[in-house]
Amino acid sequence: MRLKTKLVVSATGLTFALVAVLSILFVGELLRQRIEQTAAANSVLASEVTLMTRQAVETGLRANPPIDLSEKALRSAVSDALKSYRPLADVMTSIIRYSPTVQDVSVADDRGIIIVSTDPDEVGNPVAHRNSLESVQNGSIAYQRRQVFGSAQVFDSVQPLERNGKPFLAIHVGVRSTFLRNSYEPWLRAAFLFALMAAGAAMLAAAVLANAALQPIEQISRQLQKLTLQAGETAASAAAEKAVGDAMVRVSQTIDRLGEQMRTKEAGYTALQANLNQMLDTLRDGVLLFTADLKAVMVSDAVAYFVNRPQGELVGRQIEEIFRPETALGAAVLTAFAGGDSVSAESVTLDDGRRVQISLDRFDNELGESMGTLITLRDLESMMQLGQELEISRRLAAIGRLTAGVGHEVKNPINAMVVHLELLRSKLAGANSEAVAGAQRHVDILSGEMQRLDRVVQTLADFSRPMDLKLREQDLRQVLDAVIELTAAEMQENGVLVLVDEPDEPLMVRVDAELVRQALLNLLLNAMQAMPQGGKLRLTLRRDHQFAVVEVADEGEGIPPEILPRIFELYFTTKPKGSGIGLAMTYRILQMHGGALDVRSNATPLAVDRGTTFTLRLPIAAGSAQEVRKAPAGMSRRVLGEQV
């Protein structure tokens, strides 16, 4: 495409865009004026209904005054007056009949209960919630377009009637959006047609003017060609024109290729940044990247755990502002920076007793100049805990494979023994001797024990069977609320007062909601059973760096230290009718989700903190950590049930 054509098209397009914007503003202003006219007309109608309502109240109270001075008697007298005043009903009916935009008219008392209405089904019901016509009138052009031409709804125009300076009655005029749409569509269609015609005329004028303005360029080009021919440089001129033409094509193609490369690199950078953010959100190690001028440009979420400051306050800060020299960690990091060399796995003990491993890697260019520095902070206790959890997981997996095989091998002999035992019982059933009767008693005992053994083997097989996880992103608050609602009645019957502390913002985790509800249900029921005389059950939901934490704390008798390490073992229980499966299954569910389950308990009779606390941890869903870092979420407390 020639340069002249491009300029003409550009001028025409710019003119069209300008005319389109002005047309949208013009149509929007027309829509605003029509809505204001509709609101004014409905205000007049509401004033007319208000006048008739006032007359109805005055006439009705004079004819039938209240039986006493109570508020209830006054409401009853006013309601009878409004319902019996025929002119009021006629005015309301005429508004519905002759107004093209009004759907219903009603009069409600100060409690929001409809007394009279053009819709008999609404009488005696509360006033339905509707968007006010005033909010549509005062809204933006886009908001007005969505409200009027969006999904069908009814707008409310309210005019209050006061008594002694307080609201007494309210007149509601309902305006349906479809009526407004049908009323506005004809002139809107005409306005759009006018705007299109104006846009077409403007584009045509712009094309003509741009073409006329560029005519001198063509004349200059012809004059240059004449001068070239007169100078006798025809071959050289042709070669120059060809060279210039080829150069422009090559530049255009090069620019296109560079643009494609830039788009490709931008897409790759965006994907890399998303993967990096996801990795940092789930990383337990604190990672900080500093520029050459020691300013933090990347800070992982786990850094807040080491410096006790929110992650959002650290990005863009200098290293001295993040690591304060008066702290043990700050002194160690600043000393490593001052040394000028890389540091690998240097340990330091923090002021609170935690041991942290520091690694410092410097990045230099070919000239030896510093480009940046990467600092990694690693909690040694977390590493040990993670190693222990992995070891436990491996052991449980091995135990699961073993128990599955054992259960299968044991169940077959049990089935054969049951069959032969039944045959023996049938043979002994016909005999009546005392010895045979004694043998029959032993047969019954053997049958009962074999059935019990079969149930144990079946339970073991069910526990070791692989689970099919249906992972979905869930708000952990909703999962916990579902369990609380399920146990609310039983908690109240047992005199347990449930206290819930949870954040105001969603806490998103990627879990199988059904299995997590089962795990939480086991913990809540165990806590309730630990308090036979009632007490307080505290449920705390919070975010701890990359984990969502649920704490279930009871005021029961506590768990003795000698049996505390065994509570997660399969079939171990201290309850007379317990199965010993609940906590083991809860522990397994948490491990399958990449979480953890901890317990602490105090069984000292007179201790203030007597009771047991189970701490459940689940990884935060990838992608929600960035939203959480924008603003710290508040906490809200709820109290469920009454303590008996």
Side-chain angles (χ1 to χ4, degrees), residues 284 384-394 587 591 594-598 617:
R284 291 191 177 187
M384 295 176 59
Q385 182 181 1
L386 181 61
Q388 293 174 357
E389 293 176 358
L390 291 174
E391 181 63 25
I392 292 175
S393 300
R394 286 194 293 268
Y587 191 89
Q591 282 198 325
L597 181 61
D598 301 324
R617 297 177 182 271

Side-chain angles (χ1 to χ4, degrees), residues 532-594:
Q533 305 302 323
K536 294 180 180 179
L537 175 58
R538 291 180 174 82
L539 303 177
T540 304
L541 180 60
R542 56 185 172 82
R543 184 177 187 271
D544 184 11
H545 303 293
Q546 71 271 30
F547 286 98
V549 180
V550 181
E551 290 185 352
V552 182
D554 62 55
E555 296 180 343
E557 299 178 354
I559 303 174
E562 59 272 12
I563 67 173
L564 189 62
R566 301 187 58 196
I567 61 173
F568 296 120
E569 295 181 4
L570 186 62
Y571 299 125
F572 178 81
T573 181
T574 58
K575 302 175 185 177
K577 297 182 179 180
S579 62
I581 300 176
L583 286 179
M585 181 62 71
T586 300
Y587 191 89
R588 186 186 180 203
I589 291 173
L590 265 295
Q591 282 198 325
M592 293 175 63
H593 287 84

Side-chain angles (χ1 to χ4, degrees), residues 89-386:
D90 293 340
V91 169
M92 295 169 63
T93 303
S94 65
I95 291 174
I96 296 299
R97 181 174 300 171
Y98 298 110
S99 177
T101 59
V102 177
Q103 173 176 289
D104 55 52
V105 182
S106 59
V107 180
D109 59 14
D110 56 344
R111 300 173 300 171
I113 303 301
I114 297 177
I115 301 176
V116 292
S117 175
T118 55
D119 186 357
D121 295 336
E122 293 184 355
V123 176
N125 295 325
V127 177
H129 174 72
R130 297 170 175 175
N131 292 332
S132 67
L133 185 60
E134 183 180 3
S135 67
V136 178
Q137 178 183 351
N138 298 329
S140 63
I141 296 176
Y143 179 76
Q144 291 176 345
R145 184 188 63 79
R146 289 197 305 269
Q147 295 298 317
V148 175
F149 296 95
S151 58
Q153 58 178 313
V154 180
F155 307 117
D156 199 3
S157 180
V158 184
Q159 191 166 109
L161 183 62
E162 296 184 347
R163 170 176 169 264
N164 297 330
K166 297 182 179 180
F168 179 59
L169 296 173
I171 288 78
H172 296 265
V173 178
V175 180
R176 189 163 185 83
S177 62
T178 52
F179 296 165
L180 293 177
R181 185 187 311 164
N182 295 334
S183 177
Y184 296 166
E185 276 183 351
W187 63 262
L188 274 178
R189 192 178 298 110
F192 274 117
L193 181 60
F194 173 77
L196 289 176
M197 292 175 61
M203 291 175 61
L204 180 60
V208 172
L209 291 176
N211 188 63
L214 294 175
Q215 284 298 327
I217 297 178
E218 295 290 341
Q219 296 176 3
I220 293 172
S221 177
R222 286 194 294 269
Q223 291 296 330
L224 289 175
Q225 290 178 2
K226 290 180 181 179
L227 291 174
T228 303
L229 291 174
Q230 291 174 359
E233 298 178 356
T234 306
S237 176
E241 290 178 0
K242 183 177 180 181
V244 171
D246 293 341
M248 294 177 63
V249 172
R250 288 198 299 271
V251 169
S252 177
Q253 293 176 349
T254 303
I255 292 176
D256 292 339
R257 288 197 301 271
L258 289 175
E260 183 64 27
Q261 292 177 2
M262 291 177 63
R263 286 191 292 270
T264 303
K265 290 183 179 296
E266 183 179 4
Y269 173 76
T270 302
L272 179 62
Q273 185 179 27
N275 293 334
L276 181 60
N277 290 336
Q278 181 178 359
M279 180 191 70
L280 293 178
D281 291 338
T282 57
L283 193 64
R284 291 191 177 187
D285 295 344
V287 178
L288 303 94
L289 181 61
F290 291 89
T291 58
D293 57 353
L294 304 183
K295 181 180 293 186
V297 293
M298 185 184 71
V299 181
S300 70
D301 185 58
V303 174
Y305 174 71
F306 296 93
V307 299
N308 296 323
R309 292 173 63 188
Q311 183 269 352
E313 299 180 0
L314 304 179
V315 178
R317 300 277 186 176
Q318 293 290 330
I319 185 172
E320 295 84 359
E321 297 175 331
I322 299 175
F323 298 101
R324 296 168 182 170
E326 61 269 16
T327 63
L329 179 60
V333 172
L334 295 177
T335 301
F337 254 104
D341 297 327
S342 298
V343 176
S344 176
E346 179 179 330
S347 298
V348 60
T349 302
L350 303 188
D351 300 331
D352 56 3
R354 289 180 295 166
R355 294 181 62 246
V356 176
Q357 190 179 81
I358 303 174
S359 297
L360 188 147
D361 298 299
R362 299 180 183 273
F363 305 102
D364 299 332
N365 58 17
E366 297 177 354
L367 301 177
E369 299 174 347
S370 176
M371 298 176 58
T373 306
L374 181 69
I375 296 180
T376 305
L377 307 176
R378 180 168 298 169
D379 189 352
L380 296 180
E381 294 181 358
S382 299
M383 292 177 57
M384 295 176 59
Q385 182 181 1
L386 181 61

Side-chain angles (χ1 to χ4, degrees), residues 367-440:
L367 301 177
E369 299 174 347
S370 176
M371 298 176 58
T373 306
L374 181 69
I375 296 180
T376 305
L377 307 176
R378 180 168 298 169
D379 189 352
L380 296 180
E381 294 181 358
S382 299
M383 292 177 57
M384 295 176 59
Q385 182 181 1
L386 181 61
Q388 293 174 357
E389 293 176 358
L390 291 174
E391 181 63 25
I392 292 175
S393 300
R394 286 194 293 268
R395 292 181 181 180
L396 286 178
I399 292 174
R401 292 191 296 269
L402 177 62
T403 53
V406 171
H408 178 73
E409 294 299 328
V410 172
K411 194 170 181 60
N412 289 334
I414 290 177
N415 292 336
M417 294 168 64
V418 169
V419 171
H420 287 283
L421 192 62
E422 290 298 324
L423 293 175
L424 180 60
R425 177 182 291 173
S426 62
K427 292 179 180 180
L428 295 176
N432 296 322
S433 65
E434 182 177 353
V436 171
Q440 184 68 41

Side-chain angles (χ1 to χ4, degrees), residues 576-630:
K577 297 182 179 180
S579 62
I581 300 176
L583 286 179
M585 181 62 71
T586 300
Y587 191 89
R588 186 186 180 203
I589 291 173
L590 265 295
Q591 282 198 325
M592 293 175 63
H593 287 84
L597 181 61
D598 301 324
V599 60
R600 65 178 185 275
S601 183
N602 190 344
T604 306
L606 300 179
V608 178
D609 59 343
R610 187 183 185 187
T612 303
T613 300
F614 285 91
T615 302
L616 181 151
R617 297 177 182 271
L618 287 169
I620 294 290
S624 64
Q626 293 291 341
E627 299 177 0
V628 174
R629 288 200 292 264
K630 291 181 181 178

